[in-house]
Amino acid sequence: MDANRKHLRNPSPDELQNHESDQRRGIVAPPLEKPIEPGARLVPLVPVDQLELGQMPLRDAIRKRESRRAFSDEALSLEELSYLLWATQGIRKIHPQRVWAMRTVPSGGCRHPMETYLWVRNVDGVSPGLYRYAPLEHVLAAVNAPGAGALSDLAEICYEQTFVDKAAVTFIWTTIPYRTEWRYGPDSLKDILLSCGHICQNLYLACESIGAGTCAIVAYNQDSLDQFLGIDGVDEISLYVAPVGKALASG
């Protein structure tokens, strides 16, 4: 089995029956988010209580939701990006000892194993490049990933899906499996994958509510995308890609 597949598999009955979770063993819970690298350039986002977007009725957003691959050249505003990040991974409540956090999407045991990376191309006030969203601080942190410079054509990594290069920003979600495994052990695969789906559906609906669009992608070269993000593909694994831009009327 490839190293980057060891977490993403179904456990055997013996593994399920005999496993004692690290939570039950009294091991301290893993951090709720990856730490921000020392010296990383930070981009403050619009505070959640100041966001005024997304007033479309939920019924209309659900009715209009579709995969959109045609984007205009219009930039996303910093407020629009802040809103999309809040809608997909925003923090609602945190345990006093930061054992768990309630976010804007569900996750088994409030473990939230996903990290959000952004390949920014056309967002007002944000220099192009690779960033990671830090939800506890509600900021973007620039990522120094050598692979992002060598593999700057994200569309190539996504098997020549050229609409990726037209997006204002591309959301890329990874998972840190141990966040969920700490509680659920080898039976964590289902929750990790479901968590990713919850996040992306919120992105679809939030995009519709601001005149933007997205199209979720799982067709990509695994090793190249992990390299692009600067992750190891074992303790952190890329799972899902979603380019976002202002939608053309014919999108």
Side-chain angles (χ1 to χ4, degrees):
M1 180 180 297
D2 292 344
N4 64 357
R5 303 293 190 268
K6 74 172 188 176
H7 297 283
L8 303 182
R9 63 182 181 84
N10 288 314
S12 69
D14 285 344
E15 286 178 292
L16 291 177
Q17 183 174 356
N18 299 322
H19 179 79
E20 182 180 17
S21 71
D22 283 353
Q23 180 183 20
R24 287 187 175 275
R25 294 166 59 196
I27 295 175
V28 175
L32 298 178
E33 68 177 17
K34 287 181 68 174
I36 297 173
E37 295 181 3
R41 178 169 52 87
L42 303 181
V43 179
L45 297 167
V46 177
V48 173
D49 59 2
Q50 295 179 22
L51 295 174
E52 298 181 355
L53 300 172
Q55 301 302 314
M56 176 184 288
L58 178 60
R59 179 189 62 183
D60 293 344
I62 293 173
R63 179 177 55 81
K64 289 168 58 67
R65 188 219 64 78
E66 64 179 75
S67 292
R68 302 185 187 275
R69 300 174 181 83
F71 306 126
S72 75
D73 292 328
E74 183 181 353
L76 285 181
S77 70
L78 185 62
E79 183 180 12
E80 288 171 326
L81 181 58
S82 301
Y83 167 68
L84 295 179
L85 288 166
W86 168 81
T88 53
Q89 281 288 267
I91 301 290
R92 296 171 51 222
K93 183 179 180 181
I94 302 176
H95 183 275
Q97 281 76 51
R98 295 199 169 192
V99 175
W100 51 256
M102 297 179 67
R103 302 195 185 189
T104 52
V105 293
S107 177
C110 289
R111 299 311 307 147
H112 296 286
M114 313 307 296
E115 291 283 338
T116 302
Y117 291 79
L118 301 170
W119 182 243
V120 174
R121 189 182 72 87
N122 191 15
V123 176
D124 289 336
V126 184
S127 300
L130 183 64
Y131 297 83
R132 182 172 56 82
Y133 177 48
L136 298 180
E137 297 81 7
H138 193 54
V139 300
L140 296 181
V143 175
N144 181 21
L151 298 169
S152 57
D153 187 355
L154 189 55
E156 181 179 346
I157 296 174
C158 295
Y159 300 126
E160 308 296 343
Q161 297 184 74
T162 56
F163 72 95
V164 175
D165 278 346
K166 306 297 183 183
V169 59
T170 298
F171 285 62
I172 308 170
W173 292 292
T174 70
T175 182
I176 297 179
Y178 182 63
R179 278 195 206 141
T180 300
E181 291 170 346
W182 172 80
R183 180 165 188 171
Y184 296 115
D187 196 24
S188 296
L189 171 61
K190 295 187 291 294
D191 184 72
I192 289 171
L193 298 180
L194 288 169
S195 292
C196 202
H198 296 319
I199 293 169
C200 195
Q201 176 70 343
N202 267 28
L203 180 66
Y204 266 94
L205 297 178
C207 281
E208 293 293 342
S209 73
I210 60 171
T214 189
C215 176
I217 294 173
V218 292
Y220 56 81
N221 183 290
Q222 185 72 50
D223 291 339
S224 295
L225 186 57
D226 289 342
Q227 181 183 349
F228 183 84
L229 300 175
I231 62 177
D232 63 9
V234 179
D235 295 319
E236 184 176 4
I237 307 165
S238 57
L239 280 185
Y240 220 2
V241 179
V244 172
K246 285 305 185 73
L248 291 175
S250 59

